[in-house]
Amino acid sequence: MSHAEYRSPLADRYASRAMLELFSPQTRHGLWRRLWLALAGAEREFGVEIPEAAIREMRAHLDDIDFAAVAGYEKKFRHDVMAHVHAFGDAAPAARGVIHLGATSCFVTDNGDLIQMRRALELLRGRLVALLR
């Protein structure tokens, strides 16, 4: 299974390549990692003891998501966000204890969804303007 594209019967028929990639598991969970990196950076600026190595490792592993490991963790924890927290911790061990620190699951799910929706609207803007003209 490819994690680089969103899959559904309607998407297969009607969605553009750009939309399929935008709503893919790879993009969605890459956004989660970017949000966790931003959170850790902001917390560090405010004085939370987050090692530079944690920031560096998180930054180095934003897109190399081990979806097989995620599936194993999700089976164990029965929680999608915690599965990704643990898989990200495997990739960035110096950050294991600070990934998701002080956040709820909605921090990544809701903000990630909003970023994807905004990007989707940006993709549609040109087509909508052309249609209106």
Side-chain angles (χ1 to χ4, degrees):
M1 176 183 167
S2 170
H3 295 284
E5 292 187 344
Y6 173 74
R7 306 300 322 168
S8 85
L10 292 176
D12 289 343
R13 275 182 237 141
Y14 305 114
S16 68
R17 170 80 33 224
M19 282 291 185
L20 292 172
E21 289 174 5
L22 175 60
F23 286 98
S24 71
Q26 180 67 46
T27 299
R28 178 179 185 166
H29 302 301
L31 282 170
W32 288 8
R33 288 183 175 200
R34 284 164 174 77
L35 288 164
W36 284 319
L37 173 62
L39 176 64
E43 288 172 334
R44 187 163 191 232
E45 285 181 29
F46 282 109
V48 178
E49 291 185 28
I50 297 178
E52 179 57 36
I55 301 292
R56 189 172 49 254
E57 286 183 7
M58 290 170 79
R59 189 174 291 118
H61 296 284
L62 295 173
D63 294 309
D64 58 346
I65 301 166
D66 182 347
F67 284 98
V70 170
Y73 282 124
E74 185 151 2
K75 188 174 183 178
K76 178 179 178 180
F77 297 122
R78 302 178 60 82
H79 194 286
D80 59 342
V81 175
M82 286 300 104
H84 280 275
V85 167
H86 284 270
F88 197 16
D90 291 347
R96 190 180 309 277
V98 299
I99 296 168
H100 202 67
L101 181 65
T104 66
S105 295
C106 288
F107 169 72
V108 291
T109 58
D110 294 1
N111 285 305
D113 288 350
L114 287 171
I115 292 167
Q116 284 180 294
M117 287 181 225
R118 180 184 175 125
R119 289 179 181 173
L121 289 171
E122 289 168 352
L123 286 171
L124 291 175
R125 179 179 18 207
R127 295 177 113 182
L128 290 172
V129 168
L131 177 67
L132 291 171
R133 284 187 180 151

